[in-house]
Amino acid sequence: MKDNFYNIYCDESSVDNPNRKFMTIGALFIKRNIIPEIRKKIKEIQSKHRIKGELKWVKTSRKTLKFYKELFNYLFSLPNSNLEFRTIVIDKSRVDYKKYHDEDRELAFYKFYYFLLKNKLSFGNFYYIFLDFRPSKSKNNVRRLKEFLSFTSNDSIKWMQAYSSDENIFIQISDILTGAISYCNNESNKNGSKDELIRIIAKSIGRNNLNFCSNLREEKFNIFCVNLDKNK
């Protein structure tokens, strides 16, 4: 398999929850030719720690922490060229839905999705994109997102489709990472297990915490905090 093909696994958090000020959209980039190797290693780690069922941020508990420590230490020890994670953080209270999005929240959501992905797509590479399935007012949003990304990246999108997260372990991992960033930005009432998982993830990328913002070019673990004030 060619070395310039990538899979992208996406998820989002706190998009529709009116009690959460910030929403996050995340994408896990993995070089396509090493997917079987990584999937095999993840299964070995799951078996070792007797982890069964779907991995989800909301299911974080004390009994899963040793598993997550080994999992994220492994994933983020891989070279940047093989695996990266990117997320954007949006203050929903500052989104002008009327002025910029025709008062359509779903349209705004997919515009932010476009922003997350287009800044990472590179000329000469090709991508297969797996979105977490979500009920939508428009069945055409995923198709339109693919069309716009293909137009701005010289038809580098080979495939894009929404899947239920229980069908794909990498969407589940994206769920956990995206959920962790959302938690850091939204929660004032702390949860011991989730706080510990955040420390595990942060340590695996050489950070003390996940309360930081990245520039667009930062690679391994990029948290881009969208500044909407410049549009006001």
Side-chain angles (χ1 to χ4, degrees):
M1 187 179 294
K2 294 182 179 179
D3 201 41
N4 60 337
F5 285 74
Y6 291 83
N7 283 11
I8 308 175
Y9 302 94
C10 305
D11 203 355
E12 68 282 337
S13 182
S14 304
V15 175
D16 302 313
N17 188 335
N19 298 317
R20 300 272 179 96
K21 183 179 180 182
F22 294 92
M23 68 175 174
T24 55
I25 308 173
L28 184 67
F29 291 73
I30 307 178
K31 188 169 287 187
R32 190 171 173 84
N33 62 7
I34 65 167
I35 292 292
E37 173 189 332
I38 296 176
R39 185 180 284 114
K40 179 181 178 182
K41 180 63 175 179
I42 292 172
K43 287 182 177 179
E44 290 174 359
I45 299 172
Q46 285 179 300
S47 178
K48 175 182 175 180
H49 294 278
R50 299 180 179 180
I51 298 296
K52 298 180 180 180
E54 184 177 0
L55 307 181
K56 291 186 73 67
W57 168 255
V58 296
K59 292 169 60 177
T60 302
S61 67
R62 285 288 174 189
K63 67 180 182 180
T64 62
L65 292 178
K66 289 184 179 179
F67 161 71
Y68 283 130
K69 182 176 182 180
E70 186 168 352
L71 174 68
F72 288 118
N73 282 344
Y74 162 67
L75 291 176
F76 290 117
S77 70
L78 296 170
N80 290 357
S81 59
N82 288 348
L83 182 144
E84 298 179 18
F85 178 74
R86 303 175 72 83
T87 185
I88 57 173
V89 180
I90 304 111
D91 183 343
K92 293 186 289 186
S93 70
R94 306 194 75 81
V95 179
D96 192 330
Y97 293 101
K98 182 177 180 179
K99 184 175 181 179
Y100 295 106
H101 310 290
D102 298 325
E103 298 188 356
D104 187 336
R105 292 177 180 269
E106 198 72 6
L107 175 63
F109 169 75
Y110 279 97
K111 284 183 178 180
F112 288 122
Y113 235 132
Y114 171 81
F115 179 76
L116 167 69
L117 295 173
K118 80 176 183 68
N119 287 294
K120 181 59 180 173
L121 304 184
S122 300
F123 179 76
N125 291 335
F126 299 93
Y127 302 91
Y128 294 75
I129 304 177
F130 302 79
L131 308 178
D132 184 35
F133 175 80
R134 58 184 265 115
S136 172
K137 292 184 297 182
S138 173
K139 295 181 180 179
N140 294 322
N141 280 328
V142 172
R143 177 183 58 80
R144 290 171 64 194
L145 176 61
K146 179 179 183 297
E147 288 175 352
F148 280 117
L149 285 170
S150 296
F151 178 75
T152 58
S153 57
N154 296 304
D155 294 318
S156 66
I157 310 301
K158 306 295 288 184
W159 174 268
M160 178 183 288
Q161 188 167 326
Y163 291 84
S164 174
S165 60
D166 62 3
E167 299 176 10
N168 192 297
I169 185 64
F170 297 110
I171 294 177
Q172 295 170 34
I173 292 171
S174 187
D175 170 278
I176 293 163
L177 295 171
T178 305
I181 304 303
S182 174
Y183 177 89
C184 288
N185 283 275
N186 286 298
E187 294 295 335
S188 56
N189 297 320
K190 298 302 182 181
N191 174 291
S193 299
K194 290 179 177 177
D195 288 341
E196 182 59 28
L197 178 50
I198 285 170
R199 284 190 284 271
I200 287 169
I201 296 169
K203 188 173 181 180
S204 73
I205 60 171
R207 294 272 190 168
N208 294 322
N209 56 62
L210 298 180
N211 296 104
F212 64 90
C213 296
S214 311
N215 62 55
L216 281 173
R217 290 183 172 83
E218 191 169 332
E219 293 185 336
K220 175 61 75 177
F221 198 100
N222 189 303
I223 303 175
F224 189 78
C225 305
V226 178
N227 179 8
L228 296 172
D229 288 337
K230 63 183 180 181
N231 293 325
K232 299 296 183 180

